[in-house]
Amino acid sequence: MHSSQKLKLRKLLAKPQQIVIVTHWSPDGDAMGSSLGLYNYLLKKKHSVNVITPNDYPDFLHWMKGHKQVTDHLRKPAKAAALVRKATLIFCLDFNNLERIAELGMLVSANAAPKVLIDHHPQPSDFAQFSLHKTTASSTCELIFDFIEQMGDKKHIDKDIANCLYAGIMTDTGSFRFPSTSAKTHRIVASLIEAGATNAFVHQAIYDDSTEDRLRLLGFSLSEKLRVLPEFQTAYITLSEQEQSRFNYRKGDTEGLVNYCLAIRGIRFAAFFAERDGTVKTSFRSKGSFDVNAFARANFRGGGHRNAAGGSSDLSLEEAEKKFTGLLPRYKKELKKP
Ligand code: 5GP
Ligand code: MN
């Protein structure tokens, strides 16, 4: 953030504000960690604060302090609209375009209050007066840490804030293994642990909280549904509505499934397709230079980062799979590059 912007924002935050924090559709660990980390910090600064999500998020994120106060726009549209309408400052976290927050985006643009974008996705659109945007950051949570530090308030980071931020950094870096994990990431994590983050607790709360059904769906997906195409260094999994309901699918149950495809020797491109509420949700992951953000934007109405992206399709599951495998020959050369 420019120092003039920083000063202006500090001035704004010196007076109590009616703050709304919004984050992207189907919030993940980084979306909720950054939103609730910032929420708990701004509460300490005596603001009135509300977190609004476009829809709901998985149970394994419900331990975060402030979870019970979150308003889900899809479930409570009138309450969410009223909160956005009266906001005097709006924070937009972990997304780069108002389209990513669905109808909530219209409400946010309709309010002339200043907006603060804090995000690490490439190609941000220009809708915010204040912006802390860095594509080299491992996660939005890393940027929230920077933000609190820039506001001169590192001392305000307590155990609850630290655990939220730790969770987002941990999930967005694949537990500190993706190339986005930098020395700075580890320094921030060290500070968070010093501030009280209980790293083993956060790991268990997120990764060791599966139902038996979820684990069996993983087993079924890997043994019955995994397709490997060695000539394209590609592996993928598809799941129909019926297959998911066989295992009593709940939101979050297939999170991380796509990463297993990348664990196969020689595989550089992984995809996951699942029928959800009448559309096909897609996830893409890569290792090395292959740009899945570009692939998702060009072919599946999506976006994300170079090595992790998502999107959706109105085709049937079978047609989406066909489209995907049909596209691979076009990308054969790019897929060969390390
Ligand atoms: P996931 O596959 O875990 O849902 O998402 C991976 C990454 O892609 C995340 O950074 C997420 O923000 C982004 N992403 C997922 N779905 C979409 C989408 O429909 N549109 C855009 N622009 N980005 C997406
Ligand atoms: Mn993120």
Side-chain angles (χ1 to χ4, degrees):
M1 204 180 300
H2 292 298
S3 47
S4 63
Q5 272 199 332
K6 218 186 299 174
L7 264 173
K8 260 194 203 162
L9 197 51
R10 265 192 181 208
K11 254 191 187 161
L12 256 173
L13 288 169
K15 283 180 239 138
Q17 303 284 343
Q18 298 274 341
I19 296 175
V20 155
I21 299 171
V22 293
T23 190
H24 64 77
W25 181 261
S26 286
D28 57 8
D30 191 31
M32 290 323 296
S34 59
S35 296
L36 289 172
L38 181 66
Y39 166 85
N40 288 306
Y41 159 68
L42 291 171
L43 276 186
K44 273 189 152 180
K45 299 285 284 180
K46 310 282 179 225
H47 298 287
S48 150
V49 197
N50 281 283
V51 174
I52 306 177
T53 60
N55 60 341
D56 66 352
Y57 51 93
D59 290 351
F60 58 75
L61 299 174
H62 288 190
W63 56 268
M64 288 181 185
K65 175 103 186 277
H67 151 67
K68 288 205 171 107
Q69 276 71 49
V70 173
T71 303
D72 172 352
H73 175 253
L74 209 56
R75 259 190 222 155
K76 294 191 170 164
K79 184 183 174 196
L83 288 171
V84 176
R85 228 175 277 128
K86 68 169 198 208
T88 56
L89 187 61
I90 301 177
F91 280 86
C92 299
L93 306 188
D94 202 35
F95 66 89
N96 54 0
N97 189 313
L98 287 175
E99 279 170 20
R100 289 280 288 138
I101 58 173
E103 276 121 71
L104 199 47
M106 250 99 77
L107 295 168
V108 168
S109 355
N111 184 335
K115 298 177 185 97
V116 189
L117 172 74
I118 304 182
D119 179 46
H120 67 135
H121 290 87
Q123 298 134 320
S125 66
D126 184 24
F127 64 88
Q129 287 78 352
F130 300 96
S131 161
L132 179 53
H133 189 275
K134 235 183 182 176
T135 50
T136 53
S138 70
S139 53
T140 298
C141 280
E142 195 175 307
L143 294 173
I144 296 292
F145 182 91
D146 282 349
F147 173 76
I148 296 175
E149 200 172 34
Q150 285 178 20
M151 293 296 117
D153 284 333
K154 203 176 145 186
K155 59 189 177 296
H156 282 316
I157 300 181
D158 59 17
K159 180 182 171 179
D160 294 322
I161 298 171
N163 272 344
C164 289
L165 300 184
Y166 184 91
I169 297 173
M170 181 187 81
T171 52
D172 256 30
T173 58
S175 297
F176 316 103
R177 74 182 196 270
F178 298 152
S180 59
T181 314
S182 64
K184 183 177 174 184
T185 311
H186 282 291
R187 272 187 210 110
I188 290 177
V189 164
S191 297
L192 293 176
I193 292 175
E194 279 164 0
T198 42
N199 48 321
F201 161 79
V202 174
H203 196 281
Q204 283 167 27
I206 290 182
Y207 294 120
D208 300 340
D209 193 43
S210 300
T211 57
E212 181 180 339
D213 276 328
R214 182 181 179 193
L215 236 65
R216 294 200 185 280
L217 174 62
L218 166 67
F220 167 76
S221 305
L222 295 179
S223 79
E224 308 293 323
K225 301 306 309 276
L226 175 69
R227 301 282 173 270
V228 184
L229 306 172
E231 67 272 39
F232 299 113
Q233 285 88 29
T234 296
Y236 69 93
I237 291 168
T238 66
L239 286 178
S240 69
E241 198 107 48
Q242 200 192 3
E243 287 164 335
Q244 293 171 95
S245 49
R246 218 180 105 190
F247 296 92
N248 301 308
Y249 171 83
R250 290 182 59 134
K251 198 170 192 88
D253 279 359
T254 58
E255 207 134 307
L257 190 52
V258 64
N259 294 311
Y260 285 91
C261 301
L262 274 190
I264 304 168
R265 185 184 299 151
I267 295 303
R268 289 213 191 97
F269 184 24
F272 171 68
F273 302 85
E275 278 179 346
R276 291 280 146 76
D277 318 311
T279 67
V280 175
K281 154 77 190 150
T282 69
S283 283
F284 303 104
R285 298 290 186 272
S286 68
K287 266 188 189 154
S289 64
F290 188 69
D291 185 350
V292 292
N293 172 32
F295 183 88
R297 278 176 180 254
N299 306 301
F300 288 95
R301 245 183 10 210
H305 309 275
R306 187 182 67 185
N307 297 124
S312 61
S313 169
D314 289 331
L315 296 170
S316 70
L317 186 63
E318 291 73 22
E319 283 165 342
E321 178 182 359
K322 240 190 233 158
K323 175 176 175 174
F324 175 71
T325 52
L327 281 164
L328 293 174
R330 242 193 268 169
Y331 289 89
K332 197 166 180 175
K333 239 182 164 172
E334 285 175 58
L335 285 164
K336 276 222 151 49
K337 287 186 201 150

